[in-house]
Coordinates of all heavy atoms in Angstrom, one line a residue:
M1 N 16.4 -49.9 -1.7 CA 15.4 -49.6 -2.8 C 14.1 -49.2 -2.1 O 13.7 -49.6 -1.1 CB 15.1 -50.9 -3.7 CG 14.2 -50.6 -4.8 SD 14.2 -52.0 -6.0 CE 13.2 -53.2 -5.0
C2 N 13.5 -48.2 -2.8 CA 12.2 -47.6 -2.3 C 11.1 -48.6 -2.4 O 10.9 -49.3 -3.4 CB 11.9 -46.4 -3.1 SG 10.3 -45.6 -2.7
N3 N 10.3 -48.8 -1.3 CA 9.3 -49.8 -1.4 C 7.9 -49.3 -1.9 O 7.0 -50.0 -2.1 CB 9.0 -50.4 0.0 CG 8.7 -49.4 1.1 OD1 8.3 -48.2 0.8 ND2 8.7 -49.8 2.3
I4 N 7.9 -48.0 -2.4 CA 6.7 -47.4 -3.0 C 6.9 -47.5 -4.6 O 6.1 -48.1 -5.3 CB 6.5 -46.0 -2.6 CG1 6.1 -46.0 -1.1 CG2 5.3 -45.4 -3.4 CD1 6.0 -44.6 -0.5
C5 N 8.0 -47.0 -5.1 CA 8.2 -47.0 -6.5 C 9.1 -48.0 -7.0 O 9.2 -48.3 -8.2 CB 8.6 -45.6 -6.9 SG 10.3 -45.2 -6.4
R6 N 9.8 -48.7 -6.1 CA 10.8 -49.7 -6.4 C 11.9 -49.2 -7.4 O 12.4 -50.0 -8.3 CB 10.1 -51.0 -7.0 CG 9.1 -51.5 -6.1 CD 8.6 -52.9 -6.5 NE 7.6 -53.4 -5.4 CZ 8.0 -53.9 -4.3 NH1 9.3 -54.1 -4.0 NH2 7.0 -54.3 -3.4
Q7 N 12.3 -48.0 -7.2 CA 13.3 -47.4 -8.0 C 14.4 -46.7 -7.1 O 14.0 -46.3 -6.0 CB 12.8 -46.4 -9.1 CG 12.0 -47.0 -10.2 CD 11.5 -45.9 -11.1 OE1 12.3 -45.1 -11.6 NE2 10.3 -46.0 -11.4
T8 N 15.6 -46.7 -7.6 CA 16.6 -45.9 -6.9 C 17.4 -45.0 -7.8 O 17.9 -45.6 -8.8 CB 17.6 -46.9 -6.1 OG1 16.9 -47.9 -5.4 CG2 18.5 -46.1 -5.2
P9 N 17.4 -43.7 -7.6 CA 16.7 -43.0 -6.7 C 15.2 -42.8 -7.1 O 14.9 -43.2 -8.3 CB 17.4 -41.6 -6.7 CG 17.9 -41.5 -8.1 CD 18.3 -42.9 -8.5
C10 N 14.4 -42.3 -6.2 CA 13.0 -42.2 -6.5 C 12.7 -41.2 -7.6 O 13.4 -40.1 -7.6 CB 12.2 -41.7 -5.3 SG 12.3 -43.0 -3.9
P11 N 11.8 -41.5 -8.6 CA 11.4 -40.4 -9.5 C 10.6 -39.3 -8.8 O 10.2 -39.6 -7.6 CB 10.5 -41.1 -10.5 CG 10.0 -42.3 -9.8 CD 11.1 -42.7 -8.7
S12 N 10.5 -38.1 -9.3 CA 10.0 -37.0 -8.6 C 8.5 -37.3 -8.2 O 8.0 -36.6 -7.3 CB 10.1 -35.7 -9.4 OG 9.6 -35.8 -10.6
M13 N 7.7 -38.1 -9.0 CA 6.4 -38.4 -8.6 C 6.2 -39.3 -7.4 O 5.1 -39.4 -6.9 CB 5.5 -38.8 -9.9 CG 6.0 -40.1 -10.4 SD 7.2 -39.8 -11.7 CE 7.0 -41.3 -12.7
C14 N 7.2 -39.9 -7.0 CA 7.2 -40.8 -5.8 C 7.1 -40.0 -4.5 O 7.9 -39.0 -4.4 CB 8.4 -41.8 -5.8 SG 8.4 -42.7 -4.2
P15 N 6.2 -40.3 -3.6 CA 6.1 -39.5 -2.4 C 7.3 -39.6 -1.5 O 7.6 -38.7 -0.7 CB 4.9 -40.1 -1.6 CG 4.5 -41.4 -2.3 CD 5.1 -41.3 -3.7
N16 N 8.2 -40.5 -1.8 CA 9.4 -40.7 -1.0 C 10.6 -39.8 -1.6 O 11.7 -39.8 -1.1 CB 9.9 -42.2 -0.9 CG 9.4 -42.8 0.3 OD1 8.9 -42.2 1.2 ND2 9.5 -44.1 0.4
A17 N 10.4 -39.3 -2.8 CA 11.5 -38.6 -3.4 C 11.9 -37.4 -2.6 O 11.1 -36.7 -2.0 CB 11.0 -38.1 -4.8
D18 N 13.2 -37.2 -2.6 CA 13.8 -36.1 -1.9 C 13.4 -34.8 -2.7 O 13.4 -34.8 -3.9 CB 15.3 -36.1 -1.9 CG 15.8 -37.1 -0.9 OD1 15.1 -37.5 0.0 OD2 16.9 -37.6 -1.1
E19 N 13.0 -33.8 -2.0 CA 12.7 -32.5 -2.6 C 13.9 -31.9 -3.1 O 14.9 -31.8 -2.3 CB 12.0 -31.6 -1.6 CG 10.6 -32.0 -1.2 CD 9.6 -30.9 -1.6 OE1 9.7 -29.8 -1.1 OE2 8.7 -31.3 -2.5
P20 N 14.0 -31.4 -4.3 CA 15.2 -30.6 -4.7 C 15.4 -29.5 -3.8 O 14.4 -28.9 -3.4 CB 14.9 -30.3 -6.2 CG 13.7 -31.0 -6.6 CD 13.0 -31.4 -5.4
R21 N 16.6 -29.0 -3.7 CA 16.9 -27.9 -2.8 C 16.3 -26.6 -3.4 O 16.3 -26.4 -4.6 CB 18.4 -27.7 -2.7 CG 19.1 -28.6 -1.7 CD 20.5 -28.5 -1.8 NE 21.1 -29.0 -3.1 CZ 22.4 -29.0 -3.4 NH1 23.2 -28.6 -2.5 NH2 22.8 -29.5 -4.5
A22 N 15.8 -25.8 -2.5 CA 15.3 -24.5 -2.9 C 16.5 -23.6 -3.2 O 17.4 -23.6 -2.5 CB 14.4 -23.9 -1.9
V23 N 16.4 -22.9 -4.4 CA 17.6 -22.0 -4.7 C 17.2 -20.6 -4.6 O 17.9 -19.8 -4.2 CB 18.0 -22.4 -6.2 CG1 19.3 -21.6 -6.6 CG2 18.3 -23.9 -6.3
Y24 N 16.0 -20.3 -5.1 CA 15.5 -18.9 -5.1 C 14.1 -18.8 -4.6 O 13.4 -19.9 -4.5 CB 15.6 -18.3 -6.5 CG 16.9 -18.2 -7.2 CD1 17.2 -18.9 -8.3 CD2 17.9 -17.4 -6.6 CE1 18.5 -18.9 -8.8 CE2 19.1 -17.3 -7.2 CZ 19.4 -18.0 -8.3 OH 20.6 -18.0 -8.9
I25 N 13.6 -17.7 -4.3 CA 12.2 -17.4 -3.9 C 11.7 -16.5 -5.1 O 12.3 -15.5 -5.4 CB 12.1 -16.6 -2.6 CG1 12.7 -17.4 -1.5 CG2 10.6 -16.3 -2.3 CD1 12.0 -18.7 -1.0
C26 N 10.6 -16.9 -5.6 CA 10.0 -16.1 -6.7 C 9.6 -14.7 -6.2 O 8.9 -14.6 -5.2 CB 8.8 -16.8 -7.3 SG 7.9 -15.9 -8.5
S27 N 10.1 -13.7 -6.9 CA 9.8 -12.3 -6.5 C 8.3 -11.9 -6.7 O 7.8 -11.0 -6.1 CB 10.6 -11.3 -7.2 OG 11.8 -11.7 -7.6
N28 N 7.6 -12.7 -7.5 CA 6.2 -12.4 -7.8 C 5.3 -13.1 -6.8 O 4.4 -12.5 -6.2 CB 5.9 -12.7 -9.2 CG 4.6 -12.2 -9.7 OD1 4.3 -11.0 -9.6 ND2 3.7 -13.1 -10.1
C29 N 5.4 -14.4 -6.6 CA 4.5 -15.1 -5.8 C 5.0 -15.6 -4.5 O 4.3 -16.1 -3.7 CB 3.9 -16.3 -6.7 SG 5.1 -17.6 -7.0
G30 N 6.4 -15.6 -4.3 CA 7.0 -16.0 -3.1 C 7.2 -17.5 -3.0 O 7.6 -18.0 -2.0
E31 N 6.8 -18.3 -4.1 CA 7.1 -19.7 -4.1 C 8.6 -20.0 -4.3 O 9.3 -19.2 -4.8 CB 6.3 -20.4 -5.3 CG 4.8 -20.5 -5.1 CD 4.5 -21.5 -4.0 OE1 5.1 -22.6 -4.0 OE2 3.6 -21.2 -3.2
T32 N 9.0 -21.2 -3.7 CA 10.4 -21.5 -3.9 C 10.7 -22.0 -5.3 O 9.8 -22.7 -5.9 CB 10.8 -22.6 -2.9 OG1 9.8 -23.6 -3.0 CG2 10.9 -22.1 -1.5
I33 N 11.8 -21.6 -5.9 CA 12.3 -22.1 -7.2 C 13.3 -23.1 -6.8 O 14.3 -22.8 -6.1 CB 12.8 -20.9 -8.0 CG1 11.8 -19.9 -8.3 CG2 13.4 -21.5 -9.3 CD1 12.3 -18.6 -8.9
R34 N 13.1 -24.4 -7.2 CA 14.1 -25.4 -6.8 C 15.1 -25.8 -7.8 O 14.9 -25.5 -9.0 CB 13.2 -26.7 -6.4 CG 12.3 -26.4 -5.2 CD 11.5 -27.6 -4.8 NE 10.7 -27.2 -3.7 CZ 11.1 -27.1 -2.4 NH1 12.3 -27.4 -2.1 NH2 10.2 -26.8 -1.5
E35 N 16.1 -26.4 -7.3 CA 17.2 -26.8 -8.1 C 16.7 -27.6 -9.4 O 15.8 -28.5 -9.2 CB 18.1 -27.8 -7.3 CG 19.5 -27.9 -7.8 CD 20.4 -28.7 -6.9 OE1 19.8 -29.5 -6.1 OE2 21.6 -28.5 -7.0
G36 N 17.1 -27.3 -10.6 CA 16.7 -28.0 -11.7 C 15.4 -27.4 -12.4 O 15.1 -27.8 -13.5
E37 N 14.8 -26.5 -11.8 CA 13.6 -25.8 -12.3 C 14.0 -24.6 -13.2 O 15.0 -24.0 -13.0 CB 12.6 -25.3 -11.2 CG 11.9 -26.5 -10.5 CD 10.9 -26.0 -9.5 OE1 11.0 -24.8 -9.1 OE2 10.1 -26.8 -9.0
D38 N 13.2 -24.3 -14.1 CA 13.4 -23.1 -14.9 C 12.9 -21.9 -14.2 O 11.9 -22.0 -13.5 CB 12.6 -23.3 -16.3 CG 13.2 -24.3 -17.2 OD1 14.4 -24.6 -17.1 OD2 12.5 -24.8 -18.1
Y39 N 13.5 -20.8 -14.4 CA 13.0 -19.5 -13.9 C 13.6 -18.4 -14.7 O 14.4 -18.7 -15.6 CB 13.5 -19.3 -12.4 CG 15.0 -19.1 -12.3 CD1 15.5 -17.8 -12.2 CD2 15.9 -20.2 -12.3 CE1 16.9 -17.6 -12.1 CE2 17.3 -19.9 -12.2 CZ 17.7 -18.6 -12.1 OH 19.1 -18.4 -12.0
L40 N 13.0 -17.3 -14.5 CA 13.4 -16.1 -15.3 C 14.1 -15.2 -14.4 O 13.7 -14.9 -13.2 CB 12.1 -15.4 -15.8 CG 12.5 -14.1 -16.7 CD1 12.9 -14.5 -18.1 CD2 11.2 -13.3 -16.8
S41 N 15.3 -14.8 -14.8 CA 16.1 -13.8 -14.0 C 16.1 -12.5 -14.7 O 16.4 -12.4 -15.9 CB 17.6 -14.3 -13.9 OG 18.3 -13.5 -13.2
F42 N 15.6 -11.5 -14.0 CA 15.3 -10.2 -14.7 C 15.6 -9.1 -13.7 O 15.1 -9.1 -12.6 CB 13.8 -10.2 -15.1 CG 13.5 -8.8 -15.8 CD1 14.0 -8.6 -17.1 CD2 12.7 -7.9 -15.2 CE1 13.7 -7.4 -17.7 CE2 12.3 -6.8 -15.8 CZ 12.8 -6.5 -17.1
M43 N 16.5 -8.2 -14.0 CA 16.9 -7.1 -13.2 C 17.2 -7.5 -11.7 O 16.7 -6.9 -10.8 CB 15.7 -6.1 -13.1 CG 15.2 -5.6 -14.5 SD 16.0 -4.2 -15.2 CE 15.3 -2.9 -14.3
G44 N 17.9 -8.6 -11.6 CA 18.4 -9.1 -10.3 C 17.3 -9.8 -9.5 O 17.4 -10.1 -8.3
E45 N 16.1 -10.0 -10.1 CA 15.0 -10.8 -9.4 C 14.8 -12.1 -10.2 O 15.0 -12.2 -11.3 CB 13.7 -9.9 -9.5 CG 13.9 -8.5 -9.0 CD 12.8 -8.0 -8.3 OE1 11.6 -8.1 -8.8 OE2 12.9 -7.4 -7.2
Q46 N 14.3 -13.0 -9.4 CA 14.0 -14.3 -10.0 C 12.5 -14.6 -10.0 O 11.9 -14.3 -9.0 CB 14.7 -15.5 -9.2 CG 16.2 -15.5 -9.5 CD 17.0 -14.4 -8.7 OE1 16.6 -14.0 -7.6 NE2 18.0 -13.9 -9.4
V47 N 12.0 -15.0 -11.1 CA 10.6 -15.3 -11.2 C 10.3 -16.7 -11.7 O 11.0 -17.2 -12.6 CB 9.9 -14.3 -12.2 CG1 8.4 -14.5 -12.4 CG2 10.2 -12.8 -11.8
C48 N 9.4 -17.4 -11.0 CA 9.2 -18.8 -11.4 C 8.4 -18.9 -12.7 O 7.8 -18.0 -13.1 CB 8.4 -19.6 -10.3 SG 6.6 -19.1 -10.1
M49 N 8.5 -20.1 -13.3 CA 7.9 -20.3 -14.7 C 6.4 -20.1 -14.6 O 5.7 -19.7 -15.6 CB 8.3 -21.6 -15.3 CG 9.8 -21.6 -15.7 SD 10.4 -20.1 -16.6 CE 9.7 -20.4 -18.2
Y50 N 5.8 -20.5 -13.5 CA 4.4 -20.3 -13.4 C 4.0 -18.9 -13.5 O 3.1 -18.5 -14.2 CB 3.9 -20.9 -12.0 CG 2.4 -20.7 -11.8 CD1 1.5 -21.6 -12.4 CD2 2.0 -19.7 -11.0 CE1 0.2 -21.4 -12.2 CE2 0.6 -19.5 -10.7 CZ -0.3 -20.4 -11.4 OH -1.6 -20.2 -11.2
C51 N 4.7 -18.0 -12.8 CA 4.5 -16.6 -12.9 C 4.8 -16.0 -14.3 O 4.2 -15.1 -14.8 CB 5.2 -15.8 -11.9 SG 4.6 -16.1 -10.2
V52 N 5.9 -16.6 -14.9 CA 6.3 -16.1 -16.2 C 5.1 -16.3 -17.2 O 4.8 -15.5 -18.0 CB 7.6 -16.8 -16.7 CG1 7.8 -16.6 -18.2 CG2 8.7 -16.4 -15.9
E53 N 4.5 -17.5 -17.1 CA 3.3 -17.8 -18.0 C 2.2 -16.8 -17.7 O 1.5 -16.4 -18.6 CB 2.9 -19.3 -17.8 CG 3.7 -20.2 -18.6 CD 3.4 -21.7 -18.4 OE1 2.2 -22.0 -18.1 OE2 4.3 -22.5 -18.5
E54 N 2.0 -16.6 -16.4 CA 0.9 -15.6 -16.0 C 1.1 -14.2 -16.6 O 0.2 -13.5 -16.9 CB 0.8 -15.5 -14.5 CG 0.4 -16.7 -13.8 CD -1.1 -16.8 -13.7 OE1 -1.7 -16.0 -12.9 OE2 -1.7 -17.6 -14.3
L55 N 2.4 -13.9 -16.7 CA 2.8 -12.5 -17.1 C 3.1 -12.4 -18.6 O 3.5 -11.4 -19.1 CB 4.0 -12.1 -16.3 CG 3.9 -12.0 -14.8 CD1 5.2 -11.9 -14.1 CD2 2.9 -10.9 -14.4
T56 N 2.9 -13.5 -19.3 CA 3.2 -13.6 -20.7 C 1.9 -13.5 -21.6 O 1.0 -14.3 -21.3 CB 4.0 -14.9 -21.1 OG1 5.2 -14.9 -20.3 CG2 4.4 -14.9 -22.5
Y57 N 1.9 -12.7 -22.5 CA 0.7 -12.5 -23.4 C 1.2 -12.7 -24.8 O 2.3 -12.4 -25.2 CB 0.1 -11.2 -23.2 CG -0.3 -10.9 -21.8 CD1 0.6 -10.2 -20.9 CD2 -1.6 -11.3 -21.4 CE1 0.2 -10.0 -19.6 CE2 -2.0 -11.0 -20.1 CZ -1.1 -10.3 -19.2 OH -1.5 -10.1 -17.9
E58 N 0.3 -13.2 -25.6 CA 0.5 -13.3 -27.1 C 0.0 -12.1 -27.7 O -1.1 -11.7 -27.5 CB -0.1 -14.6 -27.6 CG 0.2 -14.8 -29.0 CD -0.4 -16.1 -29.6 OE1 -0.9 -16.9 -28.7 OE2 -0.5 -16.2 -30.8
A59 N 0.9 -11.4 -28.5 CA 0.4 -10.2 -29.2 C -0.6 -10.6 -30.3 O -0.3 -11.5 -31.1 CB 1.6 -9.5 -29.8
E60 N -1.7 -10.0 -30.3 CA -2.8 -10.3 -31.3 C -3.2 -9.0 -32.0 O -3.5 -8.1 -31.2 CB -3.9 -10.9 -30.5 CG -4.0 -12.4 -30.7 CD -5.3 -12.9 -30.1 OE1 -5.3 -13.1 -28.8 OE2 -6.3 -13.2 -30.7
Y61 N -3.2 -9.1 -33.2 CA -3.7 -7.9 -33.9 C -5.2 -8.0 -34.0 O -5.8 -9.0 -34.6 CB -3.1 -7.9 -35.3 CG -3.5 -6.6 -36.1 CD1 -2.8 -5.4 -35.9 CD2 -4.6 -6.6 -37.0 CE1 -3.2 -4.3 -36.6 CE2 -4.9 -5.5 -37.6 CZ -4.2 -4.3 -37.4 OH -4.6 -3.2 -38.1
I62 N -5.9 -7.1 -33.5 CA -7.3 -7.1 -33.5 C -7.9 -6.1 -34.5 O -7.7 -4.9 -34.4 CB -7.9 -6.9 -32.1 CG1 -7.4 -8.0 -31.1 CG2 -9.4 -6.8 -32.1 CD1 -7.6 -7.6 -29.7
E63 N -8.5 -6.6 -35.5 CA -9.1 -5.7 -36.5 C -10.5 -5.2 -36.1 O -11.2 -6.0 -35.5 CB -9.3 -6.5 -37.9 CG -8.0 -6.6 -38.7 CD -8.2 -7.3 -40.0 OE1 -8.7 -6.6 -40.9 OE2 -8.0 -8.4 -40.0
D64 N -10.7 -3.9 -36.3 CA -12.1 -3.5 -36.0 C -12.8 -3.0 -37.1 O -12.6 -3.3 -38.3 CB -12.0 -2.4 -34.9 CG -10.9 -1.4 -35.1 OD1 -10.7 -1.1 -36.3 OD2 -10.4 -0.9 -34.1
Ligands
ZN101 ZN1 10.2 -44.1 -4.3
ZN102 ZN1 6.1 -17.2 -9.0

């Protein structure tokens, strides 16, 4: 049993938790996309959700 969080296996917020395996590298920021994480696959490229949010805009109708 882990002596920090007292759980087996460690939850992801525990510093002893195993890092999930890296599966892809984000084509936009170069960060690793790890097992179990959401990502966007587009035209053969993988983009992490952080970048997806950065690249997503809400359409707003602006009256003038
Ligand atoms: Zn732990
Ligand atoms: Zn990214």
